Amino acid sequence: MVFEVKATHRQTSTGFAACEVHPDVFVDEWGRVFATAESLVEDAGTVAIQEIRPEDDDHIFVVDDYAIECAVAWIEVLSGWQTERLLEQRIQRRWATSSGTVPRIRVDVDRASPRGDRRTVAFDVRASHRLPSGGKLACELYPDVFVTQRSRGVLSRLAGMAMQQPGDIVDALPDNTQEWFRVHGLEHAASWVGTIAGFQDDFWRKHHGSRETFDRSPVGPMGPSCPPRRRLAP
């Protein structure tokens, strides 16, 4: 787990720190994912949050891969890219989740229509890598998927050109590096995270009902010289 973020909000009832990764989509320090769009989510009113300023509360926490998968699934649903059924399938294929992780989407919402809210959220992430060309910072938010300092910058080791080049697309920073940069939401990274998570969906389905099974998950470092995912030191 190397996706470390600074909190943007706190839940008023529990005091838990949370980060808004997409309009109305949050992950908190306990790994829970929730949405607060009252027009789309039936129990959104049960999660009360309050925005915090970095100078008032500079809380930092790590977002694990499972939470990123759930957050991306919510982004896809709220953006009209997929249906509630696919979100529920992704949740069901994983271990038991905490209460409030998956609020129910209102059944009378036309999910095929993109939302009108084009607000962009911004939050700070800790850099885990640097781009060899230009030296821009990058952060591995999900295995083989990176957000960068570039505007709408998203890279993946699964991209065609990335898999053809002889070296890695990023250089790892030393574990004790404390460099941060601002990311403007995860919408542009959603497709790559969803693609790789889809490989895991297939793996899970084959282990739970299909005759075909794998000896190991097909997900992981997939480029020509990709180092294993690591945990950053404090």
Side-chain angles (χ1 to χ4, degrees), residues 117-190:
D117 183 3
R118 303 311 300 169
R119 177 171 58 95
T120 299
V121 301
F123 55 95
D124 294 318
V125 302
R126 181 181 172 186
S128 60
H129 295 75
R130 192 181 297 277
L131 303 184
S133 176
K136 293 288 188 180
L137 296 173
C139 176
E140 189 175 15
L141 73 99
Y142 192 78
D144 300 321
V145 181
F146 301 83
V147 289
T148 75
Q149 280 183 300
R150 297 172 179 171
S151 177
R152 300 182 177 181
V154 179
L155 300 174
S156 174
R157 290 190 176 115
L158 276 68
M161 292 300 295
M163 297 187 71
Q164 294 176 24
Q165 69 180 46
D168 200 358
I169 60 174
V170 292
D171 296 326
L173 295 175
D175 284 345
N176 59 354
T177 302
Q178 288 284 350
E179 294 196 59
W180 294 77
F181 64 96
R182 178 141 288 212
V183 170
H184 295 277
L186 296 185
E187 183 173 6
H188 298 288

Side-chain angles (χ1 to χ4, degrees), residues 1-133:
M1 297 183 295
V2 293
F3 190 48
E4 195 169 22
V5 304
K6 291 183 180 179
T8 60
H9 294 73
R10 280 195 178 274
Q11 298 177 41
T12 56
S13 60
T14 63
F16 293 155
C19 180
E20 188 176 20
V21 297
H22 183 77
D24 302 318
V25 179
F26 296 80
V27 295
D28 72 13
E29 59 186 316
W30 290 94
R32 289 170 295 190
V33 182
F34 56 93
T36 59
E38 294 186 5
S39 61
L40 295 175
V41 183
E42 291 187 353
D43 55 352
T46 64
V47 183
I49 58 172
Q50 182 177 9
E51 187 173 0
I52 58 177
R53 296 180 299 178
E55 58 268 27
D56 295 334
D57 189 347
D58 196 15
H59 190 90
I60 297 169
F61 61 95
V62 173
V63 183
D64 64 24
D65 296 342
Y66 168 67
I68 289 295
E69 286 184 26
C70 289
V72 163
W74 267 112
I75 292 172
E76 292 172 339
V77 168
L78 297 180
S79 300
W81 300 342
Q82 71 164 231
T83 65
E84 176 188 4
R85 179 182 59 82
L86 296 179
L87 173 61
E88 291 176 345
Q89 287 179 347
R90 180 157 293 169
I91 298 304
Q92 291 169 0
R93 73 176 175 81
R94 290 298 196 172
W95 49 89
T97 55
S98 303
S99 175
T101 298
V102 189
R104 288 201 305 141
I105 299 176
R106 293 186 184 275
V107 296
D108 59 346
V109 172
D110 180 8
R111 290 181 292 273
S113 300
R115 296 191 55 221
D117 183 3
R118 303 311 300 169
R119 177 171 58 95
T120 299
V121 301
F123 55 95
D124 294 318
V125 302
R126 181 181 172 186
S128 60
H129 295 75
R130 192 181 297 277
L131 303 184
S133 176

